[in-house]
């Protein structure tokens, strides 16, 4: 991939174009604009005008924005009918790169928009991550880490777009292997306003593969009824349950004296049961 034409960066006398002849670039990497910041820029433009021209290129009988869409949007809000521009013949191959670089330099992209811009450049220009890093003056590892954000569930990506979590949170969440685990941790980050360090500490707890956990079978009604009857008879807590395919009765006692009392009650119950069936000492 060649360098951006030096002509694009060269400053020339400004032109002024009707704002109606200018259209945004549909492939602009920046998809969201902070409303408060846009309102401030609109107010500034109403008072002072546009101080930095918008970079455009001729297209389809009009002009398409190469860089400066936020200024364009604020100018429309301010009611301007004309805006200062720099007109350049920028190719399709160069326009995304220029828009991405401008936004990165101004820190105007959220992490997901940045990652999407990287991916588009890599796919459209058949670049390696290392080659893209050289173009954008970033390390290959920085490119890789940013692209990994696109492996997150869409709902988690939306949290980042909405400013509810940072790239640091996202990198901690990526340590969780399953998509459901990542989503669960992200929801906790948002709901509990967790720090990045807290998210890192919690990540191992969300790394259990929940899909392999065997669902516990509901306790049969007969077990519950037996537990209640034994509780009444013995006057202590009793559990009737199935553990590893075996049925068990657990009887709670506090000490040896209470244990002896329970044994006595069970023995008496056994004698009474034998008597009910006609078994006595004379037999």
């Amino acid at each position: 991939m060649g360098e951006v034409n030096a002509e694009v960066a060269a400053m020339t006398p400004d032109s002024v174009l009707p704002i109606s002849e200018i259209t945004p670039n549909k492939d602009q990497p920046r998809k969201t604009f902070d409303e408060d910041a846009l309102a401030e820029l609109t107010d500034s433009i109403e008072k002072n005008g546009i101080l930095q021209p918008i970079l455009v290129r001729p297209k389809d009988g009009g002009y398409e924005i190469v860089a400066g869409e936020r200024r364009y949007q604020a100018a429309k809000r301010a009611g301007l009918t004309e805006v200062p521009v720099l007109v350049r013949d920028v190719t399709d191959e160069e326009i995304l790169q220029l828009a991405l670089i401008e936004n990165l330099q101004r820190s105007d992209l959220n992490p997901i928009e940045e990652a999407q811009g990287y991916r588009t450049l890599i796919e459209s220009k058949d670049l390696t991550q290392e080659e893209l890093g050289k173009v954008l003056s970033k390390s290959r590892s920085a490119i890789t880490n940013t692209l990994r954000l696109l492996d997150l569930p869409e709902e988690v990506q939306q949290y980042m777009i909405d400013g509810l979590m940072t790239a640091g949170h996202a990198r901690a969440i990526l340590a969780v292997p399953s998509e459901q685990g990542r989503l669960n941790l992200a929801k906790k980050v948002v709901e509990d306003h967790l720090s990045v360090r807290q998210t890192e500490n919690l990540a191992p707890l969300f790394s259990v593969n929940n899909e392999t956990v065997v669902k516990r079978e509901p306790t049969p009604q007969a077990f519950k009824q037996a537990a209640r009857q034994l509780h009444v008879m013995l006057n202590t807590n009793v559990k009737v349950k199935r553990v590893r395919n075996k049925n068990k009765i657990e009887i709670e006692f506090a000490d040896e004296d209470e244990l002896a009392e329970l044994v006595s009650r069970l023995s008496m119950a056994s004698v009474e049961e034998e008597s009910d069936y006609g078994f006595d000492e004379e037999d």
Side-chain angles (χ1 to χ4, degrees):
M1 173 183 174
E3 296 295 330
V4 178
N5 290 341
E7 181 185 1
V8 171
M11 297 295 292
T12 60
D14 295 345
S15 300
V16 176
L17 289 176
I19 200 168
S20 59
E21 295 182 11
I22 300 173
T23 58
N25 170 19
K26 62 181 178 61
D27 294 322
Q28 153 76 251
R30 187 178 187 188
K31 305 301 181 185
T32 59
F33 295 88
D34 181 85
E35 280 297 320
D36 292 337
L38 194 57
E40 290 179 4
L41 181 58
T42 300
D43 182 62
S44 174
I45 288 176
E46 287 176 344
K47 295 176 181 177
N48 307 305
I50 296 181
L51 303 180
Q52 182 179 355
I54 298 171
L55 181 61
V56 299
R57 67 170 181 170
K59 186 173 183 180
D60 299 332
Y63 297 88
E64 182 181 57
I65 296 174
V66 176
E69 183 174 341
R70 196 169 71 100
R71 276 164 277 153
Y72 163 81
Q73 297 289 355
K76 287 179 62 178
R77 291 190 178 195
L80 271 62
T81 57
E82 296 180 330
V83 291
V85 298
L86 296 175
V87 182
R88 296 291 183 272
D89 289 323
V90 181
T91 66
D92 288 338
E93 293 181 351
E94 294 170 334
I95 187 169
L96 177 60
Q97 180 185 340
L98 283 170
L100 183 60
I101 290 172
E102 187 215 26
N103 281 299
L104 289 174
Q105 288 176 344
R106 296 170 59 89
S107 300
D108 281 344
L109 295 179
N110 65 56
I112 296 301
E113 290 173 335
E114 184 175 345
Q116 290 171 339
Y118 289 176
R119 184 173 62 184
T120 301
L121 280 172
I122 287 173
E123 293 176 353
S124 65
K125 300 184 180 181
D126 195 25
L127 297 174
T128 65
Q129 294 183 14
E130 186 172 359
E131 289 170 339
L132 179 61
K134 291 179 179 179
V135 170
L136 301 177
S137 299
K138 287 182 174 288
S139 67
R140 186 190 61 79
S141 61
I143 299 293
T144 300
N145 288 334
T146 300
L147 286 170
R148 287 190 65 219
L149 299 179
L150 300 178
D151 294 334
L152 292 167
E154 289 186 5
E155 188 171 345
V156 181
Q157 293 184 36
Q158 190 61 49
Y159 287 152
M160 299 183 67
I161 293 171
D162 294 339
L164 299 177
M165 66 172 55
T166 68
H169 287 105
R171 284 190 288 272
I173 292 170
L174 281 166
V176 178
S178 72
E179 180 167 332
Q180 187 60 50
R182 290 173 176 179
L183 183 57
N184 292 341
L185 179 53
K187 288 180 177 179
K188 186 168 184 62
V189 168
V190 173
E191 291 171 359
D192 296 347
H193 307 288
L194 300 181
S195 67
V196 173
R197 178 59 60 86
Q198 289 172 320
T199 307
E200 292 171 343
N201 292 337
L202 279 177
L205 301 179
F206 286 79
S207 297
V208 177
N209 186 356
N210 295 324
E211 296 177 358
T212 64
V213 176
V214 178
K215 293 183 178 179
R216 181 179 298 178
E217 295 181 2
T219 303
Q221 287 298 321
F223 284 21
K224 295 179 180 179
Q225 183 177 356
R228 287 194 294 268
Q229 291 176 335
L230 288 170
H231 170 71
V232 172
M233 182 179 72
L234 301 175
N235 193 30
T236 188
N237 292 330
V238 178
K239 293 181 179 179
V240 182
K241 60 184 182 179
R242 181 175 290 118
V243 181
R244 297 187 183 89
N245 296 323
K246 293 183 179 180
N247 299 324
K248 294 186 177 183
I249 297 176
E250 292 183 359
I251 302 174
E252 184 178 305
F253 60 92
D255 49 34
E256 293 183 4
D257 291 339
E258 190 169 332
L259 174 60
E261 177 67 21
L262 288 171
V263 172
S264 175
R265 292 185 182 184
L266 288 170
S267 298
M268 290 176 60
S270 176
V271 170
E272 291 174 357
E273 183 177 356
E274 290 179 358
S275 177
D276 290 340
Y277 282 98
F279 299 110
D280 51 35
E281 294 181 357
E282 293 183 358
D283 291 337

